[in-house]
Amino acid sequence: MYFSAFSYQETANMFFFTTIRDYHQQLQANESSCSEAVSFYLDNCKRHEHLNAFRELYAEEAIQKAALLDEQRSGGLPLKKMHGVVIAIKDVICYEGHKVSAASRILKDFTSLYTASALQYLIDEEAIIIGSCNCDEFAMGSSNENSAYGPVKNALDESKVPGGSSGGSAVAVQANMCMLSLGSDTGGSVRQPADFCGIIGLKPGYGTISRYGLIAYASSFDQIGIFGKNIDDVFLALEVMAKPDVMDSTMNQSGFTPPAPLTEEKKYKFAFLQQATAHPSLDPEIAKSIDSLQDDLEKAGHETTSIDFDLLDYIVPAYYVLTTAEASSNLSRYDGVRYGYRPETKPENLEAFYAENRSESFGTEVKRRIMLGTFVLSTGYYDAFYTKAQKIRALLVKRMHEIFENYDAVIMPVSPTTAFPLGLHEKDPLAMYLADIYTVFANLTGIPAIALPLFSHSNNMPFGVQVLCNSGSEVTLRDISAGLMMLKKQ
């Protein structure tokens, strides 16, 4: 059964959004305006304020930008790619003159001095930025319950989590508070909340989008990702953002330029990982739906094969050793000396000053990961943990290359379950970590991956599948994703 979250449109405003292409046609025909769009989304933000998806709305700024675009628009002239597109950003993406806190007290009231390159590329194409979205603190979490500003609620069932860490960005799209939103994906933080919210979530390959201006969690894993409800819209945003940037030396300098649409349907070779679809943690309904998808693909003329993948259970331990080690290093810069939180008491010395700042302002999960990362990097444990985890990462990259020598894409679950109740894993962080079993593979290997909302569970919550392609194969990922969305609509 195909699932489309929030297909209704509120009636307080006559504006109706389907795709960016249709929206632009309406603008050029004077059937709508950017001001109407912004008014519609701001009304929805107000209506859904209790979901806690936004940290801050840029209402006045968005209204002014919309009015300016409406005034400047000339009939018949081509519009810039993001003209009037209303976009929300995760509270880890820097925007000059705006607050950015990574949902942490340590960065309370900090105002960014510059704009992230990827965001600037969208603004240059005349996007309208409506606000910043709540998230897990420093993007560390899978439920959006670790924010210093309270949890985000899933708009489909407010007793459930929206997923994390980019839960606010996912709910902003899910509940029609913007057209697109940006998140960050270090181990599934775009794909998992997209799955829980019934929308599309894209993690491009590592280095496809500049990380300049993205607050770092784990630098060799982090990647800006995109939420939307339409494949073409999501990949149009990728096309705009995937430009070379001298400020990020890890970027793939070739960018992303999609070719013309295919004139005939191409047949692909898909790999299904046996250990993933048969894993004991996987919900039986999700497993059954993925099996049926494999049958549907074969009936449509594609080639599918279930392959052995015996490294699955090593993925999560390797991921958490490596990412916490990088987090320990990255977060050492937050000390309260130059900016951010400071305690009211006056510590006796500099060491006590650092200790009080960090102890009082970092949340429990962030402190847990800093301590774990410091431990695995310490003398006597570095080789036992960090070095072994790097070896596993190298094995995964090697295995990934072997798979993509014979297949166009890998299909696997996004999460073992649908969205779970708020507070369920509050006292069991290990259970939360293990739920990342299907998403962290793409970050460990640096390949592009996307979550597609294809199904509905008997518990009335959405779920879908994850498609992974080889490094630099975002075009193939786009074409396969479009085909899968069409297949499940039939």
Side-chain angles (χ1 to χ4, degrees):
M1 176 179 171
Y2 176 73
F3 183 91
S4 179
F6 281 85
S7 58
Y8 71 85
Q9 296 287 335
E10 285 83 348
T11 58
N13 185 310
M14 293 302 292
F15 177 79
F16 186 89
F17 177 77
T18 52
T19 68
I20 293 173
R21 181 179 179 180
D22 289 345
Y23 172 52
H24 281 177
Q25 289 176 348
Q26 293 170 16
L27 292 177
Q28 290 182 308
N30 293 321
E31 295 172 356
S32 187
S33 68
C34 297
S35 295
E36 289 177 358
V38 167
S39 175
F40 171 79
Y41 288 114
L42 287 175
D43 285 348
N44 278 356
C45 289
K46 182 71 173 177
R47 185 175 293 109
H48 299 303
E49 187 177 8
H50 65 285
L51 298 176
N52 201 28
F54 280 87
R55 280 281 297 115
E56 185 177 4
L57 281 173
Y58 312 142
E60 184 176 344
E61 185 179 313
I63 291 169
Q64 291 175 354
K65 178 73 174 287
L68 179 63
L69 292 176
D70 287 337
E71 183 180 344
Q72 292 177 342
R73 192 167 54 252
S74 300
L77 292 178
L79 304 181
K80 288 195 173 184
K81 293 177 180 178
M82 289 286 123
H83 180 92
V85 177
V86 181
I87 297 175
I89 60 174
K90 186 177 180 178
D91 188 27
V92 293
I93 297 173
C94 292
Y95 187 11
E96 184 178 2
H98 299 74
K99 292 179 181 178
V100 58
S101 73
S104 177
R105 293 178 68 197
I106 196 79
L107 281 173
K108 183 181 179 182
D109 296 327
F110 175 72
T111 299
S112 179
L113 303 176
Y114 66 102
T115 298
S117 296
L119 178 57
Q120 188 62 56
Y121 295 149
L122 291 171
I123 294 171
D124 291 345
E125 290 289 335
E126 300 182 344
I128 298 172
I129 310 305
I130 196 171
S132 65
C133 291
N134 199 356
C135 60
D136 283 304
E137 185 179 6
F138 281 99
M140 298 182 188
S142 303
S143 64
N144 218 141
E145 295 174 286
N146 295 330
S147 171
Y149 305 101
V152 177
K153 298 176 182 178
N154 193 314
L156 286 170
D157 182 344
E158 294 176 19
S159 70
K160 303 284 177 64
V161 302
S165 62
S166 308
S169 296
V171 171
V173 170
Q174 178 197 43
N176 290 328
M177 293 187 270
C178 59
M179 297 175 183
L180 295 171
S181 68
L182 303 185
S184 65
D185 193 311
T186 305
S189 289
V190 166
R191 289 159 288 148
Q192 186 247 29
D195 192 59
F196 283 7
C197 292
I199 60 175
I200 297 165
L202 170 67
K203 183 202 84 73
Y206 186 78
T208 302
I209 296 177
S210 172
R211 290 182 297 109
Y212 180 70
L214 173 65
I215 293 178
Y217 161 19
S219 301
S220 72
F221 292 78
D222 298 339
Q223 183 65 88
I224 291 176
I226 307 160
F227 293 98
K229 294 183 179 179
N230 178 275
I231 291 294
D232 289 339
D233 290 354
V234 168
F235 280 87
L236 178 61
L238 175 63
E239 181 182 346
V240 170
M241 291 191 289
K243 294 179 181 177
D245 181 19
V246 296
M247 302 303 292
D248 182 358
S249 61
T250 65
M251 272 205 72
N252 173 4
Q253 298 301 318
S254 61
F256 169 78
T257 305
L262 295 173
T263 56
E264 60 182 44
E265 184 182 357
K266 182 180 177 181
K267 302 304 178 184
Y268 295 97
K269 296 176 69 176
F270 294 99
F272 287 72
L273 307 186
Q274 290 178 0
Q275 283 80 356
T277 54
H279 199 274
S281 69
L282 185 61
D283 180 283
E285 279 192 47
I286 297 177
K288 184 178 180 180
S289 294
I290 292 177
D291 286 342
S292 70
L293 176 63
Q294 187 171 0
D295 292 339
D296 291 342
L297 287 170
E298 290 180 354
K299 291 175 183 177
H302 302 285
E303 183 179 332
T304 73
T305 307
S306 295
I307 65 171
D308 184 64
F309 190 80
D310 57 0
L311 295 173
L312 188 69
D313 288 333
Y314 295 94
I315 289 177
V316 171
Y319 168 81
Y320 277 99
V321 167
L322 296 174
T323 55
T324 57
E326 294 186 21
S328 173
S329 176
N330 280 328
L331 270 62
S332 64
R333 71 193 70 178
Y334 302 109
D335 52 24
V337 174
R338 291 146 295 184
Y339 50 80
Y341 176 86
R342 286 190 183 185
E344 295 181 1
T345 58
K346 293 184 178 179
E348 296 179 357
N349 51 50
L350 186 60
E351 183 178 353
F353 175 80
Y354 289 153
E356 286 193 32
N357 284 355
R358 292 166 66 82
S359 296
E360 293 182 15
S361 58
F362 282 139
T364 301
E365 183 60 32
V366 172
K367 286 188 280 192
R368 181 183 292 119
R369 298 195 192 196
I370 289 173
M371 289 189 289
L372 177 58
T374 302
F375 172 76
V376 301
L377 290 174
S378 63
T379 303
Y381 297 98
Y382 184 91
D383 288 334
F385 293 101
Y386 186 80
T387 301
K388 284 186 178 179
Q390 288 286 29
K391 290 178 179 178
I392 291 172
R393 189 178 196 179
L395 280 174
L396 289 168
V397 171
K398 180 175 180 291
R399 184 68 62 86
M400 178 269 295
H401 284 305
E402 292 171 352
I403 291 172
F404 288 119
E405 284 179 358
N406 299 303
Y407 299 95
D408 298 302
V410 171
I411 292 182
M412 59 195 300
V414 183
S415 173
T417 67
T418 58
F420 48 83
L422 288 157
L424 179 66
H425 298 308
E426 184 177 3
K427 297 182 179 179
D428 189 2
L430 185 58
M432 191 84 79
Y433 298 165
L434 292 174
D436 294 336
I437 187 170
Y438 300 119
T439 53
V440 298
F441 174 64
N443 300 86
L444 278 161
T445 56
I447 60 176
I450 192 169
L452 301 175
L454 302 183
F455 306 105
S456 180
H457 198 278
S458 61
N459 63 13
N460 296 319
M461 295 305 292
F463 69 95
V465 296
Q466 183 181 189
V467 184
L468 304 90
C469 287
N470 202 2
S471 296
S473 298
E474 279 83 0
V475 172
T476 301
L477 185 63
R478 180 204 64 174
D479 294 340
I480 289 174
S481 298
L484 285 171
M485 294 292 281
M486 289 299 297
L487 180 67
K488 297 310 294 183
K489 284 183 178 180
Q490 295 172 359

